[in-house]
Amino acid sequence: MEIDPFIFRLSIFILSIFVGYYVVWSVTPSLHTPLMSVTNAISSVIIVGAIIAALAGSSEKIFETSNIFGFLAIVLAAVNIFGGFLVTQRMLQMYKKKKK
Amino acid sequence: MEIDPFIFRLSIFILSIFVGYYVVWSVTPSLHTPLMSVTNAISSVIIVGAIIAALAGSSEKIFETSNIFGFLAIVLAAVNIFGGFLVTQRMLQMYKKKKK
Amino acid sequence: MTANLSALFYLISGILFILALRGLSSPETSRQGNYFGIAGMAIAIIVTFLSVGNFGEGFIYVIVFLIIGGSIGAFIAFRIPMTAMPELVAGFHSLVGLAAVFVAISAFLKPEAFGLGNIGNIKLASLIEMSLGAAIGAITFSGSIIAFLKLRGIMSGSPITFKGQHIINLFLGLMIIGLIFYLCISQSNNIFWSIVMISFLIGILLIIPIGGADMPVVISMLNSYSGWAAAGIGFTLENTALIITGALVGSSGAILSYIMCKGMNRSFFNVILGGWGATDQSSNTKSKEQKPVKSGNADDAAFLMKNASSVIIVPGYGMAVAQAQHALREMVDALKKNGVKVSYAIHPVAGRMPGHMNVLLAEANVPYDEVFELEEINNDFANCDVAYVIGANDVTNPVAKSDPQSPIYGMPVLDVEKSKSVLFVKRSLSSGYAGIDNDLFYRDNTLMLFSDAKKMTEEIVKSL
Amino acid sequence: MTANLSALFYLISGILFILALRGLSSPETSRQGNYFGIAGMAIAIIVTFLSVGNFGEGFIYVIVFLIIGGSIGAFIAFRIPMTAMPELVAGFHSLVGLAAVFVAISAFLKPEAFGLGNIGNIKLASLIEMSLGAAIGAITFSGSIIAFLKLRGIMSGSPITFKGQHIINLFLGLMIIGLIFYLCISQSNNIFWSIVMISFLIGILLIIPIGGADMPVVISMLNSYSGWAAAGIGFTLENTALIITGALVGSSGAILSYIMCKGMNRSFFNVILGGWGATDQSSNTKSKEQKPVKSGNADDAAFLMKNASSVIIVPGYGMAVAQAQHALREMVDALKKNGVKVSYAIHPVAGRMPGHMNVLLAEANVPYDEVFELEEINNDFANCDVAYVIGANDVTNPVAKSDPQSPIYGMPVLDVEKSKSVLFVKRSLSSGYAGIDNDLFYRDNTLMLFSDAKKMTEEIVKSL
Amino acid sequence: MFIGSVAEDKKTEKRVAITPDLVKKYKSLGLEINLCTDYASHLGIDDKEYISEGANILSNDEVIANSNAIVQMNIPSDENLKKLKKDQILIGVLNPYSNEQKLKDTIAKNINCFSLELLPRITRAQSMDILSSQANLAGYKAVLDSFAYFQKAIPMMMTAAGTISAARVLVVGAGVAGLQAIATAKRMGAIVFATDVRIASKEQVESLGGKFLIVEGSENLETEGGYAKETSDDFKKKQEELIKETLKKIDIVICTALIPGKKAPIIITKEMIQVMPKGSVIYDLAAIQGGNSELTQVDKIIDNNGVKIMGEANILNKLPVSASNLYAKNIFNFVSNLYDKEKKNFQINLEDEIIEKTKVK
Amino acid sequence: MFIGSVAEDKKTEKRVAITPDLVKKYKSLGLEINLCTDYASHLGIDDKEYISEGANILSNDEVIANSNAIVQMNIPSDENLKKLKKDQILIGVLNPYSNEQKLKDTIAKNINCFSLELLPRITRAQSMDILSSQANLAGYKAVLDSFAYFQKAIPMMMTAAGTISAARVLVVGAGVAGLQAIATAKRMGAIVFATDVRIASKEQVESLGGKFLIVEGSENLETEGGYAKETSDDFKKKQEELIKETLKKIDIVICTALIPGKKAPIIITKEMIQVMPKGSVIYDLAAIQGGNSELTQVDKIIDNNGVKIMGEANILNKLPVSASNLYAKNIFNFVSNLYDKEKKNFQINLEDEIIEKTKVK
Ligand SMILES: NC(=O)c1ccc[n+]([C@@H]2O[C@H](COP(=O)([O-])OP(=O)(O)OC[C@H]3O[C@@H](n4cnc5c(N)ncnc54)[C@H](OP(=O)(O)O)[C@@H]3O)[C@@H](O)[C@H]2O)c1
Ligand SMILES: NC(=O)c1ccc[n+]([C@@H]2O[C@H](COP(=O)([O-])OP(=O)(O)OC[C@H]3O[C@@H](n4cnc5c(N)ncnc54)[C@H](OP(=O)(O)O)[C@@H]3O)[C@@H](O)[C@H]2O)c1
Ligand SMILES: NC(=O)c1ccc[n+]([C@@H]2O[C@H](COP(=O)([O-])OP(=O)(O)OC[C@H]3O[C@@H](n4cnc5c(N)ncnc54)[C@H](O)[C@@H]3O)[C@@H](O)[C@H]2O)c1
Ligand SMILES: NC(=O)c1ccc[n+]([C@@H]2O[C@H](COP(=O)([O-])OP(=O)(O)OC[C@H]3O[C@@H](n4cnc5c(N)ncnc54)[C@H](O)[C@@H]3O)[C@@H](O)[C@H]2O)c1
């Protein structure tokens, strides 16, 4: 009865697609720009892969080619993480409901 | 790196909750009654468990207590499956757009 | 069939169920949605057969029982009148709940067949899952039975409350948790049975304090419960289809009841926790002999009118009070865009001044050729799909035709009741200028839209 | 950290991302949503550290690079003017794409570190996943760069089309598929690099034929691509967080671009497939020197006005033509309910007859004390958040103040441009009675709402 | 059976009790119509039109002699009254209070007199309710005439040559006439205020877009029949202050307040008129019942300190066609209620509230 | 500098060229106001009111002698005209076509005459445009008067005593007066039709809720200045047929069609009037320019076969207060354009299109 974990991942993948589909429909159009910016920021979870790539292999030779690519990816993703969330934050400031 | 399948199932469970949440928000209120009826019909997938229960064990002693419960469950779920989908169908007939 | 393959198919069936619910989002795709549901169910059943792979005598019995159950279901589905829908759904729920209980019992009795260990030595996780599944299933079962009885009118629809109700419920709930804990340690049959029994009791206690008006919410909530029960069993059986569907049904049911509460302006928790809301409610209902009325919301009205081929608007004093003429005009415009034929029927004494309605309709730029006086239009009601009565009352009251004792006897009235459906927009069931009750409110083809005329009409415009 | 525990945490981080997007559904919860996103990201990073468990020198470097990247990002985020948002997002996308490519390359170069087999003997599934991830990542990267250049104005915003464009794209796409297939057999480095290179090229070719106006859609689509790339890598690395997030971003981006197309009344496929839409478009734009205008939809307008504290309505002849006065009145009612202060500014010659606007506003029952003549209200524009100019044109044209050559020189005009934002409801950029262009349409604080005045106002009412 | 109608005194009454389009309706009930020559020629309706609908045109005396029922607008001239014979029926607005003696004499001859202003205000009688139908038009006409007389434009106009601000109208008494006055003034673009003693009228005024002036601590002075009662002194004082304050900015006043069977209440006093802006106009529909304004004189235009006060004996003479149409329909509805179609005669069924109450005793 | 104005011939003209609220405005420009006694007393405006605003009340001759510019409604009487001296300025509606000789003589004395009906229709001149401001009010008043005169009620009323159907109004010529007539009739609840030769007017009519009668195959007869041209015979015939058909169901006609400098076009012919329903009313605002109806006679009510045709020389004498307010504002705007605030005198700058075009040569 052992099921290949791939099947599970596939299920998760597909369900996530549905969630993504629905989540967006319920976003008010005026928030589309922040939405785009926040999804952009989120998509930099790729940093998880980058960290694994950077630290892969023995801890002596830390700058093998593959690690270098990992480090580069970390920098890129990090720019995106910080930049993305902060910019979103700035944008959302504008949408603050005024006090009455 | 082997992950317990339970974790996967949990992920699937949680993601499905999100899907359920969103799916319903997008249903027009006038379809709430058919929606209820269709979710009712769907919830009789429990028949999967019922079939497993009914056929569990050796094929000689098919009417052990546990199997009997399985068979009973099959009848109940079957009522629901057929009844549920058909009733939904009837309800939805009413919502047919008139020809112009 | 390999485990992988069947897991894949279960996933597909889960996705089909999602698509089924998604289809319900609009009337156009709704029937397609139902077909998705059917397909999903078929796949789940077939895959189960194939993966169990036992095509012996047992298989034949399964088929037989399936057919028996299916025939009963189909028979009920065809025979039941459309008006009995709510209780039907409640009845069906009870079956699902009971089925879940049976499956859990079966698993408990023969764990090795499900790969959960051996009797008296069932895996901890499985034990918890299965007892939770059984408990929730049992609550669903007994709760649905009560809801069914209340809706069917076999049991009184009024809330049954008694002192200490909440404490008892709380106590029973805690008891179940304790018993599950104890079950994990002892694996004792008796405890398992006790859990099931107490759960039955909880189901009953949870539903009896809830009034008839809130039953739709309750049914949806029970639906949700049945979903959670299925999900619990799904974990036990390690079955993806059950998990996905269970979670789907569980969460969608809960959200649906929440949405319905919001729509009815009721507190979700008051309804779900029964008795707490009961006190406020009873004070409202005391005053008057309560005849049943059907009340709807803007969406229902919009739906009915959009799909009508002709609609007659009957304005009255309430339209003037609410100053709803502009919104009304807009609604009519929207309907016309939908291809609906719309006319206005003006009763000679509608309003409080001769020509009252004319002034207001002219203000809203309603073209004169859509406005008809009573004599010109009264015969058209018989051929019209919807009469939209907005703030009028006396001028539609059929008692003027039938009861010589009535103060309005002899006044010609608009025969709105002859149209296929009548929508009454007013704030309450109270009477109009003449101070007499209007029998039409309680008719089968009447839908009351309780609201300020302007607000309601605007909402209808929105949902058109 | 055990694999199970980290999987659980990845799941949590995925859920936090879902909640982040959910938060965006309304302005009230949006900032909370952003925090969820941040939390999810933090958990993902920390869990990765813990599960890799390598706290040697490498770890320090990772931290260093993280900080470097983070500082750059933060610096950009604080420095960028709000108006440059779109290109910023495009720029950021390119980074994500490139990062995905790098991770894929790294995995290809050292598969054993990721448990994917050995060099020259990588698992088939992983190979496919990783090359797909790299290809999509590369497309995202180069496409985003082009979008960035177009938006920044470094590259011309007009579509660049040439003959055979679609055939070349098709050919390149097929080539990638062939190469992936070949890679699976040969496991050759060169082929992997070719895939990456060709993908870069595809990215460029896909975006250059798309015009500047459609860039927001493109950005969202690229967003979607970057999600799919992340999901691909997630499968390679067997990482739940990456899979969930990738799928989430992938589907939400795609849907968002679809919604945006619908909102702009453009065909989704025409936009995504670039050049195909270009021919229709160019004919439109030829006639006149094209100054950039910002155009919005009803939701934007509703949002702006709902959150304003004061709004001034400036009606003109277009309101009369569209007979939008009733809808306007309704919009104002809705705004007032939101606590917005609303007044009407009537220019002495608005419309085509003395008192034209007054007649119509009176018909819609606008209270007289909300209606002001030019002299009474002209100073208030400076303190008002939104001027809603509905079908007026000449009476707002500042050229009357500045250009003695203009035919309307010397006429007093309403100083709408002094308010924080100006919404212009009209059907096109065409001129009014006096036949002269209005400079306000092209101002930074102007949002054009191209539509019939009545239709637009009704839509705003709906979305309020 | 025959229904007859003779010409009114055309100097004081331009309305008629039977219009051509109703002749057919009478005939379908089985009733014949007798009219005197030149019956409605002053309204531009030729005798030919009546004839082509099937009416008989006779001389005055023939009409009276040959009709079972005579329907009129006002009580007939003494001469004609004398010509009436036993068992004939007379229907009209007979004004039994002022014509007490004449009617007594007539009834003594066993002539059944029905005066329609005595109609009970019950739902069934609405279609015969001449007070409503005529008051309605009077309210409309009063506004139109006073607007035509007023030296300024009514609606707000913001023009290149400056702004004309909307005129402010006060309607005193929000009964049938008052409500129609409010509606008419409102649609012309005036800002309309109204006052009344019946609490229900607040909602009614607002349902037409008028602003209701509430007298603080006001009790509901509505009788069961829907009419008003006389007010207490305390109320009067409060009302006075409120109205005086309001009048300072009012351009046009339309007076419609009445109390059945009593003199009309004085609401606009001399002092109040002093504070009104010059050039403003008071149109007093209650003139003939004594007027709501202290200075009202029937059929005269009084100029008091620049304020013009006017009121006519019969404003509907200026709207005779519409007024006749509605009045004739009212009469027709009354007659059909009185007439027994099966027995083909008039049934004076005193159990019918409508017949009982309108019959002059 | 002094601006003066003397009383008009109050029999034929009730409007005045300076209203009290404008005195202050003139003063803020640095101009003093001279008026003759009893200048506007017929409008209920006391001399005191002018004095309190800062005007000087003098005798007729003093005003003329001591003012640099004389502003009037109409051309002054011959007597007064003779008293004007060199370098004085005369502003008003001088009607240079009919007063050619008088004006020639005056100009010969080196008096600058400005006639405001000659204003170019440019945007900047809108605030001085007396034709618009007066036509606007005339359109309003024509509707109000004809409605008041009409023997039926205008709006649709469905009542217990039957239905009054909405009156049908035709507006001929949809210029400034016509559009205001449409708006006014529409708000009273009439069904409004309109016709014009300028194509742009269709949209304008519809923007006020009126129905536009389109003459088939019509060309656009609009001049550059926004005025109408004379029509071709073919067009005339088609227009005639269309209007005749329409008139069969029309209750009230408001005529406003004009062609600048020409006699008003005849649009409602005698035969057309024959087909109109009895009791209907034609109000001809073009009366003084010859009338749009063939039977129009100035200041008389013609009854043709039951149709009443009326038209006045100066309808605004019935709305003198509003009309004066707007006219006085127009004059003020014209004067401030003429006056150089810095140099503190009147600058007859012929490069200014407004000054150039209005100056009588
Ligand atoms: N036309 C005349 O000349 C005249 C004169 C005097 C009397 N009348 C009498 O008036 C009556 C007219 O009949 P009708 O049907 O027009 O009116 P009606 O019978 O008086 O009924 C009006 C209804 O409107 C509802 N309503 C009030 N305000 C509302 C609001 N804001 N939103 C929604 N509904 C509102 C009220 O119910 P809720 O309170 O439940 O909302 C009421 O039942 C007749 O009895 C007639 O005899 C007529
Ligand atoms: N008041 C008077 O007495 C009078 C008399 C004669 C002339 N005028 C002149 O008229 C002008 C009045 O200025 P204004 O600002 O009111 O009008 P305007 O300058 O003529 O502009 C009206 C605008 O409304 C838009 N529009 C037309 N129909 C529309 C619809 N259905 N929905 C949305 N927009 C619509 C048109 O733009 P799109 O085509 O792009 O939609 C047009 O640019 C002045 O130049 C004035 O001098 C006034
Ligand atoms: N049910 C029916 O069939 C029916 C038919 C017509 C009218 N009505 C009702 O009858 C009522 C009276 O109608 P009417 O117009 O014939 O009444 P009316 O002509 O007798 O009086 C006119 C108005 O003046 C008001 N009034 C009296 N004294 C006043 C004072 N001191 N200050 C201010 N206002 C004063 C009255 O309240 C009334 O509203 C109305 O409510 C009307 O709706 C009912
Ligand atoms: N730009 C400005 O400043 C300004 C100011 C005021 C008016 N206007 C425009 O000037 C135009 C004319 O205005 P006016 O009222 O002074 O014009 P007017 O008084 O000269 O004529 C009245 C109307 O009669 C119409 N007419 C002429 N012959 C006709 C015929 N045979 N049949 C039917 N209709 C006929 C004309 O087209 C015009 O619409 C209008 O379009 C108005 O909007 C412009």
Side-chain angles (χ1 to χ4, degrees), chain A residues 49 52-54 56 66-67 69-70, chain D residues 100-119 122 126-127 130-131 192 233 236-237:
Chain A
I52 296 175
S66 80
N67 300 77
F69 275 112
Chain D
V101 175
F102 286 171
V103 173
I105 293 174
S106 169
F108 183 74
L109 293 182
K110 210 188 213 170
E112 65 279 7
F114 299 87
L116 309 177
N118 299 308
I119 298 186
I122 303 176
S126 306
L127 212 49
M130 126 190 0
S131 48
F192 185 79
I233 307 282
T236 315
L237 304 187

Side-chain angles (χ1 to χ4, degrees), chain C residues 18 38-39 68 80 103 114 138 153 210 216 247 254 263 306 324 333 369 422:
Chain C
I18 296 178
I38 295 173
I68 295 178
I80 201 96
V103 174
F114 300 86
I210 302 181
K306 196 162 57 185
D333 284 350
D369 51 10
V422 185

Side-chain angles (χ1 to χ4, degrees), chain C residues 314-324 347-357 389-396 408 411 425-435 441 449-454, chain E residues 122-123 126 132 176 179 203-204, chain F residues 158-160:
Chain C
V314 179
Y317 182 54
M319 180 193 80
V321 172
Q323 291 283 298
H347 190 278
V349 299
R352 290 288 182 275
M353 153 192 119
H356 201 158
M357 297 300 117
V389 182
I390 171 168
N393 185 349
D394 295 346
V395 300
T396 66
I408 64 168
M411 172 172 87
V425 187
K426 61 201 298 286
R427 296 162 307 181
S428 64
L429 283 175
S430 64
S431 58
Y433 185 84
F441 301 160
L449 304 168
F450 292 123
S451 165
D452 177 76
K454 184 171 173 202
Chain E
I122 57 174
T123 304
Q126 282 176 323
S132 281
V176 176
L179 288 177
E203 194 188 51
Q204 295 168 3
Chain F
M158 290 174 167
T159 78

